[in-house]
Amino acid sequence: MSLLEIRGLTARAGSKEILKGVDLKINAGEVHAVMGLNGSGKSTLANVLSGKDDYEVTGGEIMFEGKDLLEMSPEERSRAGLFMAFQYPVELPGVNNTYFLKAALNAVRKENGLDALDAMDFMKLVREKLKVLEIGEDLLKREVNVGFSGGEKKRNEIFQMAVLDPRLAILDETDSGLDIDALRAVGSGVTKLRDGKRGIVVITHYQRLLNYIEPDFVHVLMDGRIVLSGTRELALKLEAEGYAWLEDHVKTVAAV
Amino acid sequence: MREANVNNMTKELDTSTVPFETDFQAFLPDQLGEPAWLAALRAGGWATWQLEGYPARNDEEWRFTPISVITEGNYCRPTSFNTKVYEESLARLELPDALLPAISFVNGDLVPDAGNTMQFVHSLKSYNNDASNPVRPGGLVNHSTGSFAALNNAFLEDGAAIVIPDGVTTSDPIVVLYANGGSNAAYANLRSLISVGRNSSATVIEIFTGSANEKYFANVVTEVYVDEGGQFTHIRLNLEGDSSAHIGNTTVSLQRDSVLSSHNITFGGLLSRHDIVCRLLGTGVSCTVNGIYLGHGEQLMDNHTTIDHAAPHCESHELYKGILGDKARGVFNGKIFVRLMHKKLMQNRQIRFYCSQTTLVSTRNHSWKSSLMT
């Protein structure tokens, strides 16, 4: 059984059809990169997977470990092991990062029939994860994303991912707005969380993040469909040559 | 209607006494053979200057900036090149080796064979003559920007062109030195064009300096393009002489996911004014604009900032501080435009903050916050 299987997914925002039949299959342990131009539907795909209600699914199905994902609320998806690193992480003034994470983690543990972690055990776990990701402890005392730089926000997302230990993580443009050092830190953080069991979907506008997170598969989303899949070489070719050749390729295939 | 006609006639009559007219007529023949786009930019600049001249006192943008230092200064373009100004400036600045200028100018004219040659740094004059260059001056600041920008376009000749290609991270700061003065009431027309490519990173330090106790007028325009994912740090150091006038305009265009970190430091000038305009044109832009000024004697330190959130999901941070002694004055005028974008519906909304003197402004805008404000 695949970890995630998307079949013929169509979705729209308002009256505009954005996804026009997406098929994607992700097995446990695989890292998939989804690339595409502005407006190709990358973020819509991520938002539909996370359950954002601004989008209406008009057809197709998404199976997550054999369960119908579209029937689940965003909270249920999260508790079932789906994690989303947002393109624009939201600030939560007044909410301490530690309390936020503890509440989220214990909700996931409860769902899996585990006891809630007490403060001592939680801090032990959190310190371990901080060490692995090479992040300073001051992050814990701050309010969620408040006053964080672009790089800190994205690192905080990866830190949340490490603590929540999801089955499938979707990283929506986690590389945007990062300088080379922050990019390296985020890339190596994600790579450390590859354990052969977790599925990771990296949605990105640029190829450069894939220098740090080696994907198993690269998919190109164009006009709401995955038009080509391949390996990392495909991403390199897109970076070097742009998307124009692919548009021609798609037209040729359609004509045949 | 009749009144408007009379005004136009008055303006037409005034053209015989347009400031810098003699200079411009002497300067123009040297520009023969320049590219057509540059000639058009120049013509537009001069036509606007002829028509409008100095900003009027009742112009809202100039209400708190008395410019008599400039209007009564009888400034003119220096006819000779004074290397001494450059040498004295370098000696005075005592820059460490890592910060030696990559390119230097005296009153806007290139100092030949000076500084340590750096990759991606060109003289604007030679850069403009290469038709294959995609980025040109005048794209962000032209005759419609304002009187002084129009004058700068009219006298556009040389300056710094710093063009970083896609995917390049430059580790060392690129220093541009503009040394001014050295002749009686010199007018210095200074221009920088900076372009940071996709996912590239660069730091540029512009230093403006000049002879102490000597009257001169520096009119500066800096245009900056930061492409998708580019990271740009700009340090603007005004160390002009205490008797000088300095009018500057920095306009920055920021594309998707780009990051601007701008630091504006003003210590010099009897009159120092700097307008910075940041256009946040794509989503995910992060823009930081900081400024500090230190005034004494009868100096006027004037900072105008405009941050235009033309796209959603951008953030901007602004912090200006000043210390003033003696009879020095400070002016701060900050504008932030937040345009509401919600799905396909787009509304315009303007939020303005007007502050004065020693000011602390910190703003952060997200589209959801904007939605709450409607």
Side-chain angles (χ1 to χ4, degrees):
Chain A
M1 183 177 60
S2 307
L3 187 59
L4 183 84
E5 192 164 358
I6 303 173
R7 282 191 289 260
L9 182 70
T10 56
R12 67 181 179 204
S15 59
K16 193 181 176 192
E17 198 79 17
I18 299 177
L19 296 182
K20 299 171 182 173
V22 173
D23 295 288
L24 184 64
K25 196 170 164 182
I26 295 162
N27 293 313
E30 290 175 353
V31 174
H32 291 244
V34 178
M35 299 184 71
L37 288 170
N38 286 341
S40 57
K42 300 190 301 290
S43 281
T44 302
L45 177 62
N47 286 322
V48 166
L49 285 171
S50 66
K52 195 174 178 189
D53 54 11
D54 291 344
Y55 299 87
E56 188 191 343
V57 175
T58 50
E61 59 173 10
I62 307 176
M63 303 304 287
F64 179 55
E65 295 194 303
K67 290 175 279 187
D68 186 354
L69 193 76
L70 296 172
E71 289 295 312
M72 297 156 83
S73 68
E75 307 87 83
E76 287 168 339
R77 294 178 199 204
S78 173
R79 290 198 294 262
L82 187 74
F83 175 84
M84 168 101 171
F86 291 107
Q87 183 178 6
Y88 306 111
V90 178
E91 294 181 10
L92 301 177
V95 180
N96 178 292
N97 221 359
T98 311
Y99 293 130
F100 173 72
L101 271 176
K102 189 164 173 249
L105 177 65
N106 283 334
V108 174
R109 288 179 65 89
K110 196 175 165 191
E111 178 78 10
N112 295 328
L114 297 166
D115 288 340
L117 283 183
D118 63 23
M120 293 279 281
D121 290 337
F122 177 73
M123 285 315 289
K124 200 176 152 199
L125 171 86
V126 158
R127 291 209 171 95
E128 250 170 49
K129 301 291 183 190
L130 283 173
K131 209 172 158 188
V132 173
L133 298 179
E134 295 165 34
I135 301 175
E137 274 198 32
D138 61 317
L139 191 82
L140 296 171
K141 297 174 192 135
R142 296 166 71 179
E143 295 171 21
V144 182
N145 292 329
V146 178
F148 283 28
S149 69
E152 284 175 327
K153 280 182 184 171
K154 297 298 170 89
R155 269 211 241 188
N156 198 28
E157 295 288 297
I158 302 305
F159 173 55
Q160 288 170 15
M161 172 178 156
V163 172
L164 296 177
D165 194 20
R167 302 281 302 126
L168 176 68
I170 300 153
L171 312 182
D172 188 9
E173 309 228 356
T174 299
D175 55 332
S176 60
L178 299 187
D179 62 27
I180 290 290
D181 292 335
L183 189 70
R184 198 176 290 130
V186 164
S188 76
V190 173
T191 303
K192 282 171 187 164
L193 298 174
R194 284 176 83 159
D195 58 1
K197 287 178 275 179
R198 197 190 322 278
I200 299 176
V201 182
V202 182
I203 293 173
T204 181
H205 184 66
Y206 310 103
Q207 188 281 138
R208 57 181 195 155
L209 181 64
L210 307 182
N211 292 337
Y212 303 97
I213 308 170
E214 185 106 3
D216 299 307
F217 301 97
V218 174
H219 310 279
V220 184
L221 201 59
M222 194 173 272
D223 193 25
R225 285 188 189 88
I226 288 178
V227 292
L228 196 63
S229 297
T231 56
R232 190 161 164 253
E233 279 62 43
L234 175 60
L236 291 171
K237 188 171 167 148
L238 286 170
E239 185 72 7
E241 300 174 23
Y243 286 82
W245 66 274
L246 195 59
E247 281 166 11
D248 296 339
H249 169 82
V250 172
K251 278 179 202 152
T252 319
V253 172
V256 173
Chain B
M1 191 69 188
R2 190 182 170 138
E3 230 175 66
N5 283 338
V6 171
N7 282 339
N8 282 340
M9 278 176 68
T10 319
K11 278 183 175 169
E12 271 171 33
L13 287 174
D14 281 350
T15 54
S16 58
T17 55
V18 171
F20 299 104
E21 171 88 40
T22 321
D23 274 340
F24 189 70
Q25 296 311 334
F27 165 81
L28 206 52
D30 295 341
Q31 311 308 318
L32 280 174
E34 66 184 352
W37 64 266
L38 185 54
L41 186 70
R42 187 183 312 290
W46 183 250
T48 305
W49 177 256
Q50 270 187 315
L51 196 66
E52 293 184 2
Y54 292 116
R57 194 67 196 264
N58 61 3
D59 182 336
E60 190 60 34
E61 286 294 310
W62 292 86
R63 218 152 68 87
F64 299 101
T65 320
I67 53 169
S68 53
V69 178
I70 300 172
T71 54
E72 294 163 11
N74 292 319
Y75 296 100
C76 58
R77 289 185 76 242
T79 45
S80 60
F81 186 82
N82 189 343
T83 320
K84 218 174 124 197
V85 178
Y86 163 69
E87 285 159 1
E88 281 173 0
S89 297
L90 265 190
R92 193 170 53 245
L93 290 168
E94 294 180 7
L95 296 169
D97 284 354
L99 293 180
L100 284 177
I103 193 164
S104 304
F105 301 86
V106 171
N107 296 321
D109 293 330
L110 180 72
V111 181
D113 307 319
N116 44 350
T117 315
M118 280 178 89
Q119 215 184 350
F120 316 126
V121 182
H122 319 271
S123 132
L124 191 60
K125 196 172 185 174
S126 58
Y127 178 84
N128 281 343
N129 284 323
D130 186 346
S132 63
N133 289 323
V135 184
R136 290 172 177 168
L140 298 174
V141 176
N142 55 33
H143 61 273
S144 61
T145 308
S147 296
F148 288 111
L151 182 66
N152 187 290
N153 276 346
F155 283 104
L156 197 163
E157 190 179 22
D158 211 343
I162 299 165
V163 181
I164 315 284
D166 292 350
V168 173
T169 300
T170 54
S171 48
D172 296 325
I174 298 167
V175 181
V176 181
L177 175 66
Y178 289 105
N180 307 310
S183 75
N184 189 32
Y187 168 69
N189 202 73
L190 314 180
R191 188 90 176 198
S192 298
L193 174 69
I194 300 164
S195 168
V196 180
R198 200 168 182 260
N199 291 328
S200 292
S201 162
T203 298
V204 171
I205 304 174
E206 283 185 295
I207 303 175
F208 303 92
T209 187
S211 320
N213 307 319
E214 193 188 297
K215 208 175 85 167
Y216 65 86
F217 167 32
N219 184 17
V220 193
V221 168
T222 303
E223 291 171 286
V224 184
Y225 293 86
V226 189
D227 206 348
E228 286 188 355
Q231 311 248 340
F232 181 56
T233 302
H234 187 217
I235 297 166
R236 191 181 193 281
L237 191 53
N238 174 339
L239 301 173
E240 303 278 24
D242 283 353
S243 304
S244 68
H246 176 105
I247 303 286
N249 179 309
T250 302
T251 301
V252 189
S253 136
L254 293 153
Q255 298 296 336
R256 177 188 168 139
D257 299 328
S258 60
V259 179
L260 169 72
S261 183
S262 164
H263 309 278
N264 304 285
I265 301 146
T266 309
F267 293 155
L270 183 59
L271 161 62
S272 277
R273 165 149 171 172
H274 181 229
D275 289 34
I276 181 163
V277 180
C278 301
R279 297 186 189 146
L280 284 53
L281 301 174
T283 55
V285 173
S286 172
C287 167
T288 303
V289 179
N290 293 332
I292 189 157
Y293 53 92
L294 183 64
H296 65 99
E298 294 192 358
Q299 286 183 303
L300 170 68
M301 307 267 173
D302 186 339
N303 285 288
H304 281 225
T305 70
T306 304
I307 297 176
D308 183 0
H309 283 256
H313 294 299
C314 294
E315 60 178 54
S316 63
H317 308 272
E318 200 173 358
L319 176 64
Y320 268 77
K321 288 190 173 186
I323 303 168
L324 298 171
D326 303 330
K327 288 181 183 171
R329 278 188 57 203
V331 177
F332 178 85
N333 184 333
K335 299 191 190 82
I336 297 173
F337 298 94
V338 179
R339 307 187 198 183
L340 262 186
M341 287 185 172
H342 187 57
K343 291 184 180 168
K344 288 182 77 178
L345 180 76
M346 182 173 150
Q347 288 174 291
N348 287 311
R349 183 184 170 87
Q350 299 183 354
I351 301 174
R352 293 177 180 217
F353 296 98
Y354 289 101
C355 313
S356 68
Q357 292 233 346
T358 313
T359 309
L360 170 72
V361 180
S362 178
T363 59
R364 203 170 296 129
N365 293 291
H366 294 279
S367 64
W368 62 271
K369 280 184 183 167
S370 308
S371 306
L372 288 176
M373 284 189 274
T374 54

